[in-house]
Amino acid sequence: GTSAQMSVSRVLFAMGRDGMLPRAMAKLHPRFRTPYVAALVVSTFSLVALFITLDAAVYMINFGALFAFGMVNLAVIKYFFFEKKQRSGAAVLRYLVLPLIGFGFVAWLFTSLALFTYVLGVSWLLVGVVIYGLRTNWFRKAPPALQFDEKTPITEFVEAAPGEARA
């Protein structure tokens, strides 16, 4: 419900602030300091729920959720087992075997999705690849860096006009 909409709007806000989406997504309401443009975009897309069945909504959510869970399992293996070289007995179980089992379950669940789910999910993935390609000059330059520092006030990112240098 509302908490999911606000969570997604904050993700869109961060992506706008970091340059992966239009900067308008990073606008904060002057009084409430909330990402109101992103919230309006999410709310507009949520209105689609008025015109689709519950089954269609579940299909749409399933692809994204399963894809994300699968990628998290693979990311654990890549980061801990291959990059950090965590290879003790417990680490092999924790960072290789269990994520592989988790990925296997996700892959098995993927086989039960309806064709509509794949069409919609792959379409959204293609939209994301195109946006990412546009933002990185078709993968020739690095993507915009995420801003995690606590020292720079968020308003410096939000209030800078497009093309204006940021501190």
Side-chain angles (χ1 to χ4, degrees):
T2 304
S3 63
Q5 283 184 307
M6 291 314 295
S7 298
V8 170
S9 69
R10 291 181 190 285
V11 169
L12 294 179
F13 163 79
M15 292 175 75
R17 180 197 63 202
D18 295 340
M20 287 307 295
L21 289 176
R23 293 256 180 238
M25 292 291 189
K27 284 190 175 193
L28 293 176
H29 190 277
R31 179 174 171 206
F32 301 112
R33 309 302 294 162
T34 56
Y36 73 100
V37 173
L40 289 171
V41 169
V42 171
S43 297
T44 302
F45 274 98
S46 297
L47 289 175
V48 171
L50 295 173
F51 306 105
I52 62 174
T53 65
L54 180 59
D55 286 341
V58 168
Y59 290 143
M60 289 189 284
I61 292 168
N62 283 343
F63 185 91
L66 289 175
F67 189 82
F69 292 146
M71 291 301 106
V72 166
N73 281 294
L74 294 178
V76 166
I77 294 168
K78 179 187 179 292
Y79 182 75
F80 288 104
F81 191 75
F82 290 110
E83 289 182 15
K84 293 294 183 182
K85 304 213 183 301
Q86 300 280 327
R87 305 276 171 88
S88 69
V92 168
L93 177 67
R94 188 177 307 131
Y95 302 129
L96 180 65
V97 175
L98 291 176
L100 281 174
I101 292 170
F103 184 79
F105 277 124
V106 168
W108 175 70
L109 287 171
F110 245 101
T111 64
S112 66
L113 298 178
L115 179 62
F116 172 75
T117 306
Y118 294 111
V119 170
L120 192 63
V122 169
S123 298
W124 273 112
L125 279 176
L126 290 175
V127 167
V129 167
V130 168
I131 291 171
Y132 195 74
L134 290 170
R135 302 304 278 171
T136 60
N137 197 20
W138 298 110
F139 313 104
R140 285 186 221 123
K141 67 178 187 178
L146 299 176
Q147 303 294 331
F148 291 115
D149 64 335
E150 299 275 336
K151 297 174 187 166
T152 308
I154 227 165
T155 54
E156 287 186 31
F157 294 105
V158 176
E159 293 168 0
E164 186 178 307
R166 293 187 289 176

